[in-house]
Amino acid sequence: MVKTTRRRTVDPAKRALINGYRSGLEEKVAAQLDELSVKYKYEDFKISYQVNEVRTYTPDFELPNGIIIETKGRFVAADRKKHLLIQKQHPFLDIRFVFSNSNAKISKNSKTSYADWCNKNGFMYADKLIPKEWLEE
């Protein structure tokens, strides 16, 4: 009798956690930067912002040119509110988003996509990887 085993594929989120990232998208962006030999900081500093109390936000990536990259699979209302507060309180920061899918809608009943929200609120965004132009600024 021949024993066959099913090859297990590792869930990208679990693999990312094993490699020190919080999501598969973060791991993918880090791999892109490594492949291009771009030095970057990963969750290296915190930004304080005020709601009713002082809170902190830890950006995903900081590029050598000062651009802050936030990777997002899901972009929930709390994240959107936080980024508007940070933008208002720290207008000198250049925060840009890399989404899994910028065409995803902000909620089930909304026609507004993540891309629409970024365009309306003055944030640059991309899908899946950091555009090379951002790395060359």
Side-chain angles (χ1 to χ4, degrees):
M1 179 152 106
V2 177
K3 183 178 179 183
T4 59
T5 56
R6 209 169 83 195
R7 188 174 181 181
R8 292 185 186 190
T9 57
V10 178
D11 175 13
K14 286 182 183 176
R15 186 186 66 236
L17 288 171
I18 291 167
N19 291 328
Y21 299 99
R22 296 177 190 269
S23 72
L25 183 58
E26 285 184 4
E27 184 181 39
K28 187 176 185 175
V29 167
Q32 174 199 17
L33 294 171
D34 290 340
E35 188 176 304
L36 295 171
S37 299
V38 174
K39 294 192 183 298
Y40 61 91
K41 296 177 184 174
Y42 174 73
E43 292 190 345
D44 192 54
F45 69 102
K46 296 184 182 308
I47 298 168
S48 294
Y49 67 100
Q50 183 89 29
V51 185
N52 294 327
E53 70 227 21
V54 175
R55 295 194 181 170
T56 58
Y57 155 63
T58 304
D60 292 335
F61 297 93
E62 182 185 14
L63 303 178
N65 56 14
I67 294 172
I68 294 169
I69 303 294
E70 183 65 24
T71 58
K72 288 288 181 197
R74 292 182 59 231
F75 196 36
V76 298
D79 290 328
R80 297 190 305 270
K81 180 179 178 182
K82 170 178 69 179
H83 280 284
L84 289 175
L85 288 168
I86 292 166
Q87 181 187 53
K88 184 177 181 180
Q89 295 170 26
H90 299 280
F92 55 90
L93 293 177
D94 187 355
I95 299 175
R96 301 178 187 188
F97 294 95
V98 173
F99 294 110
S100 292
N101 177 10
S102 64
N103 292 317
K105 303 302 179 200
I106 62 171
S107 71
K108 188 167 59 171
N109 298 324
S110 178
K111 292 182 180 181
T112 303
S113 68
Y114 298 168
D116 295 334
W117 183 91
C118 285
N119 288 330
K120 176 183 174 190
N121 292 292
F123 287 99
M124 294 180 76
Y125 66 92
D127 282 317
K128 301 199 185 334
L129 294 171
I130 299 171
K132 289 189 179 179
E133 305 82 60
W134 294 5
L135 301 172
E136 297 166 356
E137 285 184 32

